[in-house]
C-alpha cells in the first residue's frame, strides 16, 4: 500500500543513521588522541573512550585509524586557506605568515603535525594526505598572491610561485615544526620583509 500524502518516510529497517554530533565528537577526539599519544599508539578504543562513544560508533564511520586520519586531513584540505587581499605584496605575505604562525603554534597542531610527518615517511597514504592538506592548499594561496602582485606591477611576470612558497612559508615551518623554537618579537615582520625582498631580487 502507498502511504497517504504527507506521511513521514521511515528509514529502512536496519539502516544506520549516523548522528552528526557523534561524528564531530569522534573527529575532535582523534586530534586530541593524536596530540596525546601519537599516531603509532593511537587506537580506536582510545578515540572512542575520549569521544564518549562505543567502538562500533567509530567503526560505522571509518574502517581503521588510518582511514579516519586520512579523512580528517582531506576535510582540512577541502576547507582551504583564504588568500589575503591587503592590496600589497608585503601585506599579503605578512598576513599569510600571521595565520600560519598561529596555526602551527596551536597546542594540538604543534603535536600532531610533526608526528604525522614521521608517519608519512612510512605510509604513502599519509604522505599524500599531508601534501594535499598542507602543501597543495598553500601552493594555491601563494600562487594567487604572486598573480596579484604581478598584476599590480610589484613582481615580474615570470615570478615563480613555488619559489615564493619556499621563501615565505619554508622558514616558518623550519622554525616552528622542526626547530620548535619560539618566534622572537618582530620575527613575522622581518620574515615578510626578507621574503618580499628576495622575490623582487
Amino acid at each position: 500500500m502507498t502511504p497517504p500524502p504527507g506521511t513521514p518516510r521511515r528509514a529502512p529497517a536496519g539502516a544506520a543513521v549516523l548522528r552528526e554530533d557523534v561524528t564531530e565528537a569522534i573527529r575532535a577526539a582523534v586530534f586530541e588522541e593524536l596530540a596525546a599519544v601519537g599516531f603509532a599508539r593511537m587506537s580506536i578504543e582510545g578515540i572512542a573512550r575520549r569521544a564518549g562513544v562505543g567502538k562500533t560508533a567509530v567503526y560505522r564511520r571509518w574502517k581503521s585509524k588510518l582511514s579516519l586520519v586520512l579523512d580528517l586531513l582531506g576535510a582540512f584540505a577541502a576547507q582551504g586557506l583564504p588568500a589575503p587581499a591587503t592590496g600589497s605584496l608585503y601585506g599579503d605575505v605578512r598576513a599569510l605568515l600571521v595565520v600560519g604562525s598561529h596555526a602551527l603554534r596551536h597546542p594540538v597542531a604543534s603535536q600532531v603535525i610533526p608526528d604525522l610527518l614521521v608517519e608519512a615517511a612510512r605510509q604513502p597514504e599519509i604522505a599524500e594526505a599531508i601534501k594535499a592538506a598542507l602543501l597543495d592548499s598553500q601552493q594555491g594561496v601563494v600562487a594567487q598572491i604572486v598573480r596579484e602582485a604581478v598584476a599590480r606591477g610589484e613582481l615580474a611576470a615570470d615570478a615563480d610561485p613555488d619559489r615564493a612558497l619556499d621563501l615565505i612559508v619554508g622558514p616558518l615551518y623550519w622554525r616552528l615544526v622542526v626547530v620548535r623554537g619560539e618566534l622572537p618579537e618582530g620575527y613575522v615582520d622581518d620574515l615578510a620583509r626578507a621574503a618580499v625582498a628576495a622575490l623582487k631580487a
Side-chain angles (χ1 to χ4, degrees):
M1 278 179 71
T2 303
T7 302
R9 290 179 177 271
R10 298 181 61 185
V17 178
L18 302 181
R19 288 172 44 193
E20 188 59 30
D21 60 327
V22 172
T23 302
E24 289 308 310
I26 294 170
R27 285 179 171 143
V30 172
F31 281 116
E32 293 170 6
E33 193 75 358
L34 275 171
V37 304
F39 180 83
R41 293 175 56 200
M42 185 177 77
S43 66
I44 296 295
E45 291 83 356
I47 293 167
R49 185 168 52 251
R50 195 178 288 271
V53 301
K55 286 191 299 182
T56 54
V58 181
Y59 281 118
R60 271 200 294 266
R61 292 161 172 82
W62 298 278
K63 63 182 180 180
S64 66
K65 69 177 186 179
L66 176 58
S67 63
L68 209 171
V69 169
L70 294 178
D71 177 64
L72 287 181
L73 288 172
F76 180 81
Q79 290 176 6
L81 182 67
T86 66
S88 73
L89 177 59
Y90 170 79
D92 287 351
V93 169
R94 186 185 182 282
L96 183 62
L97 289 171
V98 168
V99 171
S101 66
H102 282 305
L104 292 173
R105 283 185 291 182
H106 187 280
V108 174
S110 65
Q111 295 296 323
V112 170
I113 292 175
D115 182 66
L116 288 180
L117 288 174
V118 171
E119 291 300 325
R122 304 187 188 102
Q123 304 201 46
E125 301 99 325
I126 292 182
E128 283 300 314
I130 289 176
K131 179 177 180 294
L134 299 179
L135 177 60
D136 293 352
S137 61
Q138 290 191 347
Q139 276 182 323
V141 171
V142 172
Q144 185 172 334
I145 289 174
V146 169
R147 282 195 302 271
E148 292 178 357
V150 169
R152 289 191 299 263
E154 292 184 88
L155 290 178
D158 62 352
D160 183 0
D162 288 336
R163 178 171 177 265
L165 180 64
D166 292 343
L167 291 170
I168 297 168
V169 183
L172 196 63
Y173 272 90
W174 175 262
R175 183 90 184 205
L176 294 176
V177 177
V178 181
V179 178
R180 300 178 71 81
E182 292 297 319
L183 297 186
E185 178 125 10
Y187 177 86
V188 167
D189 296 328
D190 290 343
L191 182 56
R193 280 192 290 269
V196 169
L199 288 170
K200 291 182 174 181

